[in-house]
Amino acid sequence: MSKNTYKFILIGNSTVGKTCLFRKLSTGEFMEKGIASIGVEKVSLDVTINVDKNDKKEKKDFDISLFDTAGQEKFRSITFNYYKGSDGILLLYDITNRNTFDNIELWVDSIKEAIDSNVDSRYAIILVGNKLDLINEDGYERQIKEEEAKNACDKYKMIWGGEISTKEIKTEELNKLFEKYVTEVYSIIGEKKVGKQKVKQVKKYKKKFKCFI
């Protein structure tokens, strides 16, 4: 049976934790410190979920290409091109950094500019608040309330993906959360069984990580 082929992309300001989330989904490990992403990285994930169909649970298999993008302004022209063809867009912000949340509108506008020119395009933006663990540390405090984030979802027609700590969330819990994200996107996109997209100028992992959830 052929798999649904989806493209997921991680976007958001630099330092919101995109690469940490990307690596934890890929390897199950948290990267304590890292260098800011340059350009785009990709990993393939095999995901299996159960969906409701005719009052029954039906198993759906997905081959998901997950892209991690650089958040710095100087790389925007590179990452902009990778928005096209996206099915699921994970837009991250740092709940302890107001600026990363205030830029949501700019990110949504850039998505629309890149994708909405194709009238047949269908995609889902999932808003995720990251770095929940920091509000318990000295020098940090919550700057965005959950209700404010939910209101932004209503305003910009996004799906609320919740607040997380990429550092503290267990791998099994993160896999379940990603399963939920895939289910949400499937409810909007539906079946998409096409050949794998050929992507140029992307740093690719040699190993194909599998994430069965």
Side-chain angles (χ1 to χ4, degrees), residues 6 49 59 72 112 157 161 197:
Y6 277 2
I49 65 173
K59 185 173 73 172
Q72 300 99 315
K112 290 180 178 180
K157 296 181 174 58
Q197 297 172 329

PDB file of all heavy atoms in Angstrom, residues 6 49 59 72 112 157 161 197:
ATOM      1  N   TYR A   6       3.821  13.730   2.675  1.00  0.00           N
ATOM      2  CA  TYR A   6       3.600  15.083   3.181  1.00  0.00           C
ATOM      3  C   TYR A   6       4.930  15.810   3.359  1.00  0.00           C
ATOM      4  O   TYR A   6       5.959  15.195   3.642  1.00  0.00           O
ATOM      5  CB  TYR A   6       2.912  15.042   4.551  1.00  0.00           C
ATOM      6  CG  TYR A   6       1.412  14.896   4.516  1.00  0.00           C
ATOM      7  CD1 TYR A   6       0.711  14.759   3.329  1.00  0.00           C
ATOM      8  CD2 TYR A   6       0.678  14.896   5.712  1.00  0.00           C
ATOM      9  CE1 TYR A   6      -0.662  14.637   3.321  1.00  0.00           C
ATOM     10  CE2 TYR A   6      -0.696  14.774   5.717  1.00  0.00           C
ATOM     11  CZ  TYR A   6      -1.376  14.638   4.509  1.00  0.00           C
ATOM     12  OH  TYR A   6      -2.731  14.517   4.508  1.00  0.00           O
ATOM     13  N   ILE A  49      -0.582   6.643  11.641  1.00  0.00           N
ATOM     14  CA  ILE A  49      -1.626   7.134  12.535  1.00  0.00           C
ATOM     15  C   ILE A  49      -2.931   6.402  12.237  1.00  0.00           C
ATOM     16  O   ILE A  49      -3.079   5.747  11.196  1.00  0.00           O
ATOM     17  CB  ILE A  49      -1.853   8.657  12.383  1.00  0.00           C
ATOM     18  CG1 ILE A  49      -2.389   8.990  10.981  1.00  0.00           C
ATOM     19  CG2 ILE A  49      -0.593   9.430  12.679  1.00  0.00           C
ATOM     20  CD1 ILE A  49      -2.804  10.438  10.816  1.00  0.00           C
ATOM     21  N   LYS A  59      -5.896   2.704   9.528  1.00  0.00           N
ATOM     22  CA  LYS A  59      -4.479   3.035   9.617  1.00  0.00           C
ATOM     23  C   LYS A  59      -4.018   3.746   8.353  1.00  0.00           C
ATOM     24  O   LYS A  59      -4.329   3.327   7.249  1.00  0.00           O
ATOM     25  CB  LYS A  59      -3.656   1.770   9.834  1.00  0.00           C
ATOM     26  CG  LYS A  59      -2.180   2.042  10.068  1.00  0.00           C
ATOM     27  CD  LYS A  59      -1.433   0.771  10.457  1.00  0.00           C
ATOM     28  CE  LYS A  59      -1.265  -0.150   9.260  1.00  0.00           C
ATOM     29  NZ  LYS A  59      -0.383  -1.301   9.583  1.00  0.00           N
ATOM     30  N   GLN A  72      17.172  33.490  10.739  1.00  0.00           N
ATOM     31  CA  GLN A  72      17.787  34.804  10.567  1.00  0.00           C
ATOM     32  C   GLN A  72      17.314  35.474   9.283  1.00  0.00           C
ATOM     33  O   GLN A  72      17.091  34.828   8.266  1.00  0.00           O
ATOM     34  CB  GLN A  72      19.316  34.693  10.538  1.00  0.00           C
ATOM     35  CG  GLN A  72      19.923  34.104  11.795  1.00  0.00           C
ATOM     36  CD  GLN A  72      20.234  32.636  11.610  1.00  0.00           C
ATOM     37  OE1 GLN A  72      19.425  31.877  11.086  1.00  0.00           O
ATOM     38  NE2 GLN A  72      21.410  32.235  12.037  1.00  0.00           N
ATOM     39  N   LYS A 112       1.724  33.114   3.079  1.00  0.00           N
ATOM     40  CA  LYS A 112       0.685  33.408   2.094  1.00  0.00           C
ATOM     41  C   LYS A 112       1.288  33.866   0.776  1.00  0.00           C
ATOM     42  O   LYS A 112       0.827  33.486  -0.305  1.00  0.00           O
ATOM     43  CB  LYS A 112      -0.271  34.469   2.638  1.00  0.00           C
ATOM     44  CG  LYS A 112      -1.148  33.976   3.782  1.00  0.00           C
ATOM     45  CD  LYS A 112      -2.074  35.074   4.267  1.00  0.00           C
ATOM     46  CE  LYS A 112      -2.990  34.576   5.367  1.00  0.00           C
ATOM     47  NZ  LYS A 112      -3.901  35.648   5.847  1.00  0.00           N
ATOM     48  N   LYS A 157      -6.149  32.092  11.404  1.00  0.00           N
ATOM     49  CA  LYS A 157      -6.623  30.789  10.909  1.00  0.00           C
ATOM     50  C   LYS A 157      -5.548  29.712  11.025  1.00  0.00           C
ATOM     51  O   LYS A 157      -5.247  28.998  10.071  1.00  0.00           O
ATOM     52  CB  LYS A 157      -7.120  30.922   9.466  1.00  0.00           C
ATOM     53  CG  LYS A 157      -8.336  31.819   9.310  1.00  0.00           C
ATOM     54  CD  LYS A 157      -8.801  31.906   7.869  1.00  0.00           C
ATOM     55  CE  LYS A 157     -10.098  32.683   7.756  1.00  0.00           C
ATOM     56  NZ  LYS A 157     -10.001  34.054   8.288  1.00  0.00           N
ATOM     57  N   GLY A 161      -1.186  24.390  18.526  1.00  0.00           N
ATOM     58  CA  GLY A 161      -0.412  23.181  18.766  1.00  0.00           C
ATOM     59  C   GLY A 161       0.039  23.017  20.198  1.00  0.00           C
ATOM     60  O   GLY A 161       0.700  22.026  20.543  1.00  0.00           O
ATOM     61  N   GLN A 197       9.362  14.518  -3.543  1.00  0.00           N
ATOM     62  CA  GLN A 197       9.847  15.734  -4.174  1.00  0.00           C
ATOM     63  C   GLN A 197      11.369  15.724  -4.233  1.00  0.00           C
ATOM     64  O   GLN A 197      12.038  15.320  -3.294  1.00  0.00           O
ATOM     65  CB  GLN A 197       9.383  16.963  -3.387  1.00  0.00           C
ATOM     66  CG  GLN A 197       7.877  17.110  -3.364  1.00  0.00           C
ATOM     67  CD  GLN A 197       7.466  18.207  -2.412  1.00  0.00           C
ATOM     68  OE1 GLN A 197       8.100  18.473  -1.411  1.00  0.00           O
ATOM     69  NE2 GLN A 197       6.384  18.870  -2.745  1.00  0.00           N
TER      70      GLN A 197
END
